Amino acid sequence: MKAFGKCRWAIAEGYIPEGSHGPAPEMTSHETACILNAGDKDAHVNITIFFSDKDAIGPYEITVPARRTKHLRFNDLNNPQPIPRATDFSSLIESDVPVVVQHTRLDSRQDANALLSTIAYSGE
Amino acid sequence: MKAFGKCRWAIAEGYIPEGSHGPAPEMTSHETACILNAGDKDAHVNITIFFSDKDAIGPYEITVPARRTKHLRFNDLNNPQPIPRATDFSSLIESDVPVVVQHTRLDSRQDANALLSTIAYSGE
Amino acid sequence: MKAFGKCRWAIAEGYIPEGSHGPAPEMTSHETACILNAGDKDAHVNITIFFSDKDAIGPYEITVPARRTKHLRFNDLNNPQPIPRATDFSSLIESDVPVVVQHTRLDSRQDANALLSTIAYSGE
Amino acid sequence: MKAFGKCRWAIAEGYIPEGSHGPAPEMTSHETACILNAGDKDAHVNITIFFSDKDAIGPYEITVPARRTKHLRFNDLNNPQPIPRATDFSSLIESDVPVVVQHTRLDSRQDANALLSTIAYSGE
């Protein structure tokens, strides 16, 4: 199957809520980038994290195999360093083959969980 | 009316929550692709489901008649096989005429329901 | 100011929840199309509503004055006829000058309200 | 790094909920524009606020430094004047270098918070 998507995406919103209600891991507050690689070649993906008041960190390197999806929790990114909780950030996602990126957050800080999701920005 | 939209869409996020609060079917946790066919020809739509750790399945074949909408619950897709619950997936949606696709989830695992929605990715 | 946006938009998701918790009108369950007309000419907007199992209805005609926004509740559309509650629909939004359209729902059927929002599809 | 994004964005939805549950500032009801400047030059950003029944106000001038993000709460905009609460508005966001804009709301008027988010409209 032909690859589908773009090679460069941005998620301007980013925030890992601190604290959760409900059983882990499914109800743990989390921030996710869902990356679909519909094509026949593995995608090598580099993620850079931007902050409001300090230098960007990264790249975080992940692989999304051919014809697979990865729902990547920013909570789980540890190399080169964990992403701080309760801190504003943005992310830039660059792949060597076209992919599709969607951003989702589950926030269970209060009794009933809240959700948000949006397609990321791909642009030119 | 002239057709409106694109023939190829992707929803990178996909997850059918397991468990619900409230009366079925309206408050049952569900994952939906809303497909608008504003044109004068029926749309024959093929859906392929991608996973993180196994081969894609499909196509699921559905028809959206001319000048109709279909709010398709992934929960209801059974042929060639049901989509597993509480499992990460992505979907690729291909139509023979232009359509518009929007992704919505209602999650009622906790006491008060949460909602997310986004236009799907259509790209080139 | 130069007009900004597109003349043709679609919202594939559409559903007015039946029932609400909390004070009206701000906590009444509602479905909204937010229409920004940043330009110097009034926008004459026609909305067509599509269903899953019957013919489309409309057009609903509204005006968004120059350099104004309108947060249009589908609940309030009555001419040519009210939009049925708890029913799947989609909408096509056509304007004679460029506008920007965003879709929002507040669902207060359960104790704590849920929200969704997405930019509408504008395409070609 | 090359700049990424567009210079002109619109958020058609806009509403600062009045009232909150939970500790400030993180659970205070708020409306946010997240602005990522991934490039090497500071972004000088002008925001204009449109209403349904009165003239637009602005510009609100902010700077997003090179390779930084800013999660701008509309609640905090005070110059030339605060944005009224519980009032429908839209915003137009213009930058002198490309940026990426995403819109998020946290609504904690009821016991459990609700969230919405969407990429803003960038268009031509």
Side-chain angles (χ1 to χ4, degrees):
Chain A
M1 178 177 291
K2 207 180 109 227
F4 187 53
K6 301 276 186 182
C7 290
R8 208 165 182 224
W9 295 79
I11 302 172
E13 169 69 278
Y15 186 87
I16 303 175
E18 201 162 34
S20 303
H21 283 78
E26 70 271 24
M27 300 309 297
T28 303
S29 289
H30 59 269
E31 183 85 356
T32 303
C34 299
I35 306 174
L36 169 61
N37 176 10
D40 289 328
K41 290 185 184 163
D42 291 358
H44 302 95
V45 178
N46 278 4
I47 301 177
T48 306
I49 305 290
F50 294 84
F51 297 99
S52 62
D53 54 2
K54 56 186 169 185
D55 285 350
I57 56 175
Y60 296 86
E61 300 178 5
I62 61 160
T63 299
V64 185
R67 295 180 62 72
R68 292 288 184 277
T69 185
K70 191 181 280 278
H71 291 206
L72 179 75
R73 289 192 183 198
F74 288 95
N75 306 41
D76 296 335
L77 292 176
N78 288 308
N79 183 359
Q81 62 185 90
I83 297 178
R85 269 53 177 169
T87 300
D88 293 341
F89 65 89
S90 294
S91 52
L92 186 68
I93 298 169
E94 297 170 290
S95 172
D96 58 350
V97 297
V99 294
V100 177
V101 179
Q102 186 172 341
H103 168 227
T104 300
R105 181 185 304 154
L106 185 148
D107 176 353
S108 62
R109 288 175 294 180
Q110 295 186 324
D111 276 349
N113 64 306
L115 289 172
L116 64 78
S117 190
T118 182
I119 188 74
Y121 174 77
S122 54
E124 65 273 33
Chain B
M1 179 177 290
K2 208 180 110 229
F4 186 54
K6 300 276 186 181
C7 290
R8 207 166 183 222
W9 294 80
I11 302 172
E13 168 69 280
Y15 186 86
I16 303 174
E18 202 161 37
S20 302
H21 283 77
E26 71 272 25
M27 299 309 297
T28 303
S29 288
H30 59 268
E31 183 85 356
T32 302
C34 299
I35 306 173
L36 168 61
N37 177 10
D40 289 328
K41 290 184 184 165
D42 291 357
H44 303 94
V45 177
N46 278 4
I47 301 176
T48 305
I49 305 291
F50 294 84
F51 297 100
S52 62
D53 56 1
K54 56 187 170 185
D55 286 349
I57 56 175
Y60 296 85
E61 301 178 5
I62 62 160
T63 299
V64 185
R67 296 181 60 74
R68 292 287 184 278
T69 185
K70 191 181 279 278
H71 292 206
L72 180 76
R73 289 193 183 198
F74 287 94
N75 306 41
D76 296 336
L77 292 175
N78 288 308
N79 183 1
Q81 61 186 89
I83 297 178
R85 269 54 178 169
T87 301
D88 293 341
F89 66 88
S90 292
S91 52
L92 186 68
I93 297 169
E94 298 170 289
S95 171
D96 59 350
V97 297
V99 294
V100 177
V101 179
Q102 186 172 340
H103 169 226
T104 300
R105 180 185 304 155
L106 186 149
D107 176 353
S108 62
R109 289 175 295 180
Q110 295 186 325
D111 275 350
N113 63 306
L115 288 173
L116 64 79
S117 189
T118 182
I119 188 73
Y121 173 76
S122 56
E124 64 273 35
Chain C
M1 180 177 290
K2 206 181 111 228
F4 186 54
K6 299 277 185 180
C7 290
R8 207 166 182 224
W9 294 80
I11 302 172
E13 170 67 279
Y15 185 87
I16 303 174
E18 201 162 37
S20 302
H21 283 77
E26 71 272 24
M27 299 310 296
T28 303
S29 289
H30 59 269
E31 183 86 357
T32 302
C34 299
I35 306 174
L36 169 61
N37 177 10
D40 290 329
K41 290 185 184 165
D42 291 357
H44 303 94
V45 177
N46 278 3
I47 301 177
T48 306
I49 305 292
F50 294 84
F51 297 100
S52 63
D53 56 0
K54 56 187 170 186
D55 286 350
I57 56 175
Y60 296 85
E61 301 179 5
I62 61 160
T63 298
V64 184
R67 296 181 60 74
R68 292 289 185 276
T69 185
K70 190 180 279 279
H71 292 206
L72 179 75
R73 289 193 183 197
F74 288 95
N75 306 42
D76 296 337
L77 293 175
N78 289 307
N79 183 1
Q81 62 186 87
I83 297 179
R85 269 52 178 172
T87 300
D88 293 340
F89 66 89
S90 293
S91 51
L92 186 68
I93 298 169
E94 298 170 289
S95 172
D96 59 350
V97 298
V99 294
V100 177
V101 178
Q102 186 172 340
H103 169 226
T104 300
R105 180 186 304 154
L106 185 149
D107 176 353
S108 61
R109 288 175 295 178
Q110 296 186 325
D111 275 351
N113 62 308
L115 288 173
L116 64 79
S117 190
T118 183
I119 187 74
Y121 173 77
S122 55
E124 66 271 36
Chain D
M1 179 177 291
K2 206 181 111 228
F4 187 53
K6 299 277 185 180
C7 290
R8 208 167 183 223
W9 294 80
I11 302 172
E13 170 68 280
Y15 185 87
I16 303 174
E18 201 162 36
S20 304
H21 283 77
E26 70 270 26
M27 299 309 296
T28 303
S29 290
H30 59 269
E31 183 86 357
T32 302
C34 299
I35 306 173
L36 169 61
N37 177 10
D40 290 329
K41 290 185 184 164
D42 291 357
H44 303 94
V45 178
N46 278 4
I47 301 177
T48 306
I49 306 291
F50 294 84
F51 297 100
S52 62
D53 55 1
K54 55 186 171 187
D55 285 350
I57 56 175
Y60 296 86
E61 301 178 4
I62 62 161
T63 298
V64 185
R67 296 180 62 73
R68 292 289 185 275
T69 184
K70 190 181 278 280
H71 292 206
L72 179 75
R73 291 193 182 198
F74 288 95
N75 305 41
D76 296 336
L77 292 176
N78 288 308
N79 182 0
Q81 63 185 88
I83 297 179
R85 271 51 176 169
T87 301
D88 294 341
F89 66 90
S90 293
S91 51
L92 186 68
I93 298 168
E94 298 171 288
S95 172
D96 59 350
V97 297
V99 294
V100 177
V101 179
Q102 186 171 340
H103 169 227
T104 300
R105 180 186 304 154
L106 186 149
D107 176 354
S108 63
R109 289 175 295 178
Q110 296 187 323
D111 275 350
N113 63 307
L115 289 173
L116 64 80
S117 188
T118 183
I119 187 75
Y121 174 78
S122 54
E124 66 271 35

